[in-house]
Amino acid sequence: MKTEKQTRASHLLINTGLQSGVGRRRVSLAVSTASRPRGKAVETAGNSLLHRSTGLKSGANERKYLRITDAEYISGYKIRLTFNDGMACDMDFEPFLRKALNPDIMKYRQLRNFKKFHLHYGDLMWGDFEMIFPIEDLRRGEI
């Protein structure tokens, strides 16, 4: 017959692939407490939750990686990009699209398809990774 402590511990377990008796309770508690703040910190990078959950000073990791914070359609094949370091530039994708021979990219010559861009974790992309550019190239204004 299980004791009350064993019953409580078995409810907290998750399948970790560890042998029985190998720190089961610690593993499950570490997963349950560590995954929630980490997920929130990613969503709210500038929030104080990041500083509370990681113990990092303000700005320690917030600008470590270059990313696009805003992308605004201007006209034709031009998009205004704003980066997390404060720089903004207008990119003209028309020369690239005119030279493209890949059928997956050629469909973005139609403006209605070109306008369907979106930001995905700081990267400018079209479709499901059908057309995406290195962020350093975009920041330099080259594609």
Side-chain angles (χ1 to χ4, degrees):
M1 188 159 130
K2 290 185 177 182
T3 65
E4 182 182 338
K5 188 175 182 179
Q6 290 173 332
T7 305
R8 240 183 312 146
S10 67
H11 289 301
L12 294 174
L13 296 179
I14 57 173
N15 186 4
T16 61
L18 296 175
Q19 295 174 354
S20 61
V22 181
R24 292 169 132 189
R25 185 177 171 103
R26 268 194 217 123
V27 170
S28 65
L29 289 177
V31 170
S32 65
T33 58
S35 60
R36 266 189 238 120
R38 200 174 316 138
K40 279 287 193 193
V42 170
E43 292 172 12
T44 58
N47 200 336
S48 62
L49 177 62
L50 172 70
H51 311 302
R52 276 199 315 266
S53 66
T54 62
L56 295 173
K57 293 180 181 176
S58 178
N61 265 353
E62 292 174 12
R63 294 194 181 201
K64 182 176 180 181
Y65 299 107
L66 184 63
R67 66 183 186 280
I68 300 170
T69 56
D70 189 40
E72 177 186 350
Y73 176 76
I74 300 173
S75 66
Y77 296 96
K78 294 180 183 176
I79 299 175
R80 177 167 292 127
L81 302 174
T82 306
F83 297 88
N84 63 332
D85 64 354
M87 183 180 165
C89 67
D90 295 346
M91 289 294 305
D92 186 6
F93 292 88
E94 187 172 9
F96 171 80
L97 290 170
R98 294 290 170 217
K99 293 179 198 173
L101 300 176
N102 185 330
D104 289 337
I105 294 177
M106 288 172 45
K107 71 179 183 182
Y108 294 107
R109 289 180 185 169
Q110 296 177 5
L111 275 177
R112 72 171 189 265
N113 291 332
F114 179 78
K115 291 179 182 182
K116 294 180 184 178
F117 64 87
H118 61 279
L119 292 178
H120 181 73
Y121 293 104
D123 288 320
L124 178 68
M125 65 183 275
W126 286 261
D128 188 19
F129 292 96
E130 291 172 354
M131 189 165 71
I132 188 168
F133 300 91
I135 197 159
E136 287 292 330
D137 291 349
L138 292 174
R139 189 172 180 283
R140 284 192 306 265
E142 304 169 356
I143 49 172

